Amino acid sequence: MVKRNVNFNPGPAALPLDVLKIVQEELLDYQDSGMSILESSHRSKEFEAINDQTIALVRELLGLGTDYQVLFLGGGASTQFALIPMNFVGDGQMAAYVDTGEFASKALRECQIVAKAHVAFSSKDEKYSLVPKLNEIKYPENVAYLHMCSNNTIEGTQFHEFPNTGNVPLVADMSSDIASRRLDYKKFSMFYAGAQKNLGPAGVTLVVIRDDFLMKAKKDIPTIFSYKTHVDNKSLYNTPPVFGVYIMKLVLEWIKSKGGLAGVEKTNVAKKDLLYGAIDAAPDFYKGLAEKNSRSWMNVTMRLPTEDIENKFIADAKKEGLLGLKGHRSVGGIRFSIYNAVSLEDVQKTVDFMGRFCKSS
Ligand SMILES: Cc1ncc(COP(=O)(O)O)c(C=O)c1O
C-alpha cells in the first residue's frame, strides 16, 4: 500500500489518486509510442491528440461553445495579471478591478504599471474578510473590462454570484475554484486559472477567451505576450507545458467520471458544510476568518485562541496524517484547502479530529 496523507496544501495541491496511477502506468511508454509523453515532441500526433481532447473537455465540462478559445500557457496566473492589461487596455482607456484579496490586488497593481485602473470595490480595510454584494461594485461604463478574483485563496472568501456587466467584458481569475461548482461560465469574456489547485500540476495555466473579446486585443505588443499569437497557434507558438496539459486532460476526465461539475459540486458542498459546521459548533475556540456570506467552498480559514494552540493543532493534525494546514503567512491561523481531489471521507476524518482537539484543549 502506498502511503497517502490527507493533503490540504493550497497549491500545488492534492491530485486524484486515480489520475496519479494512470500517469504512473503510462509514464514509460505512452500509448504504445515507445516513449514517455515527457519525451515526446509537442508537435507529435500523441500530443496533438492530448491538446485537442483537453480543449474539448474544458468546453464540455464548463458548458462553452467553440467561440471560447482555450489556451494552455506557461507563466502561471500571475503572468496573466500583466498580460491582460497589456492586451486589452487601449490608449486612453482604463480597466476596473474588484480588490478582494492579495491576488486580486496583485492583478490590480500589474494593471497600474501599464495602464490606468479604477478600483470598483475594495475590502482591504476589512482585511479582505468579505466579498462585495453585486450592487457595491461600481465602475464607469467605458472601462476596457471588469476584473474579479472568483475565490480568494489566502483569505478564504468566494463570490457566489457574478454581476451582469452588459457591454463591459467580465474577466476573472479562477485559479482556486475553477471546475469546482456549476457556474455560468458564459458570463465571462475571459477567465484563467493556474492549474495547480483544481486542474493539475503547477506549470500550466488555463486561459479561456471569447472571440468577441479577443478581437479587441491590441496588436502592438511583443508576439509572445499577445493572446492572439497563442490562439492562432493553438498554444503551440512555443513549447507548451506538455506534461501539465496531459495531466490536466486526465484530471478533467476524472471530473467527468464524477458526474461533471454537478457531481464535484455536490461533494464540495458536503465538505465545506462539514468544516464550517465544525467551526460554528465551537465559536469560542474556532474563529472563522471570512464573513459568513462570503465563505469560500475551497479554502476554509480560521484562527484559534492563541498562536501556540494553532501550532499544536498543526502538529497534532500532522500526527494523524492531516497535512498542509498552516494558514498563509499574511493571515496566520489555519487554512483547509479542500479542492476537488480532497475526499469527503478525508474531511470527515478532519472534522472528527477538530472535535477531539477542541475538547482536549
Ligand atoms: C487566486 C489566485 N490567483 C493567482 C495565483 C498565482 O498563481 P501562479 O502562482 O500560478 O502565478 C494564485 C496562487 O495561489 C491564486 O490562488
Side-chain angles (χ1 to χ4, degrees):
M1 263 285 270
V2 185
K3 178 179 167 196
R4 299 281 296 166
N5 283 315
V6 180
N7 182 353
F8 288 112
N9 278 324
L15 283 165
L17 184 57
D18 293 346
V19 166
L20 293 177
K21 282 183 176 163
I22 297 173
V23 174
Q24 185 181 42
E25 203 173 291
E26 294 186 329
L27 191 66
L28 299 186
D29 176 12
Y30 181 72
Q31 296 193 352
D32 247 354
S33 64
M35 63 180 75
S36 173
I37 195 68
L38 280 165
E39 305 166 299
S40 304
S41 164
H42 57 294
R43 313 221 180 256
S44 64
K45 71 173 180 3
E46 284 79 15
F47 186 70
E48 197 184 345
I50 289 171
N51 204 27
D52 286 345
Q53 286 162 16
T54 316
I55 292 170
L57 279 161
V58 168
R59 288 194 181 125
E60 181 188 341
L61 286 168
L62 306 189
L64 302 172
T66 50
D67 55 333
Y68 278 88
Q69 305 307 324
V70 178
L71 302 175
F72 309 116
L73 305 178
S78 305
T79 299
Q80 316 318 311
F81 294 167
L83 294 187
I84 291 167
M86 282 170 75
N87 275 264
F88 293 111
V89 187
D91 291 342
Q93 252 194 325
M94 111 179 136
Y97 280 74
V98 183
D99 175 25
T100 49
E102 277 205 31
F103 287 112
S105 77
K106 273 189 175 167
L108 165 66
R109 284 201 299 277
E110 288 302 287
C111 179
Q112 286 166 333
I113 292 172
V114 294
K116 265 192 164 173
H118 167 86
V119 180
F121 173 88
S122 178
S123 50
K124 192 170 184 191
D125 290 346
E126 288 82 22
K127 291 191 179 153
Y128 294 130
S129 60
L130 55 91
V131 296
K133 295 190 189 74
L134 297 187
N135 63 10
E136 293 173 321
I137 302 174
K138 302 239 176 353
Y139 53 92
E141 273 307 300
N142 60 352
V143 291
Y145 56 80
L146 175 70
H147 182 279
M148 307 171 67
C149 180
S150 56
N151 184 74
N152 300 286
T153 323
I154 292 175
E155 299 81 4
T157 65
Q158 186 176 28
F159 282 91
H160 297 290
E161 49 180 2
F162 292 89
N164 291 318
T165 51
N167 289 331
V168 174
L170 182 58
V171 176
D173 173 3
M174 297 193 184
S175 291
S176 48
D177 67 351
I178 186 120
S180 66
R181 58 178 170 171
R182 286 168 302 161
L183 197 65
D184 183 5
Y185 284 92
K186 291 209 210 67
K187 258 194 166 176
F188 299 87
S189 292
M190 172 172 181
F191 54 91
Y192 59 98
Q196 63 271 22
K197 298 153 200 302
N198 269 320
L199 293 179
V204 54
T205 310
L206 172 70
V207 176
V208 179
I209 313 177
R210 200 169 58 213
D211 285 336
D212 61 340
F213 189 46
L214 187 65
M215 268 173 52
K216 295 183 185 166
K218 287 165 68 174
K219 309 259 177 323
D220 57 343
I221 54 174
T223 318
I224 188 73
F225 297 155
S226 161
Y227 285 119
K228 195 158 182 315
T229 302
H230 298 293
V231 168
D232 289 346
N233 292 280
K234 273 178 75 178
S235 306
L236 299 174
Y237 170 73
N238 64 329
T239 317
V242 172
F243 198 53
V245 179
Y246 158 67
I247 298 179
M248 193 191 291
K249 176 181 97 78
L250 297 177
V251 170
L252 293 169
E253 285 170 347
W254 176 84
I255 292 175
K256 199 173 160 181
S257 77
K258 297 287 166 200
L261 298 197
V264 291
E265 175 183 300
K266 201 166 164 223
T267 310
N268 288 334
V269 167
K271 280 152 53 184
K272 65 96 183 165
D273 282 348
L274 274 177
L275 274 174
Y276 287 119
I279 291 174
D280 293 341
D284 296 332
F285 191 71
Y286 295 125
K287 297 208 182 304
L289 290 178
E291 286 211 352
K292 284 196 176 166
N293 291 338
S294 301
R295 281 176 164 178
S296 166
W297 298 6
M298 292 280 103
N299 308 96
V300 176
T301 50
M302 65 176 192
R303 299 233 48 168
L304 274 64
T306 66
E307 247 180 71
D308 283 348
I309 299 178
E310 287 169 349
N311 289 335
K312 184 166 186 323
F313 182 94
I314 291 166
D316 286 8
K318 193 173 175 192
K319 286 185 205 143
E320 303 211 10
L322 313 172
L323 302 188
L325 291 172
K326 200 169 168 50
H328 189 269
R329 59 193 178 280
S330 64
V331 173
I334 308 293
R335 171 173 52 174
F336 305 91
S337 295
I338 45 172
Y339 304 123
N340 289 342
V342 177
S343 72
L344 183 58
E345 294 70 36
D346 286 344
V347 173
Q348 182 62 58
K349 196 171 147 187
T350 308
V351 164
D352 295 344
F353 162 76
M354 286 170 73
R356 274 184 275 121
F357 186 84
C358 175
K359 266 202 197 116
S360 67
S361 294

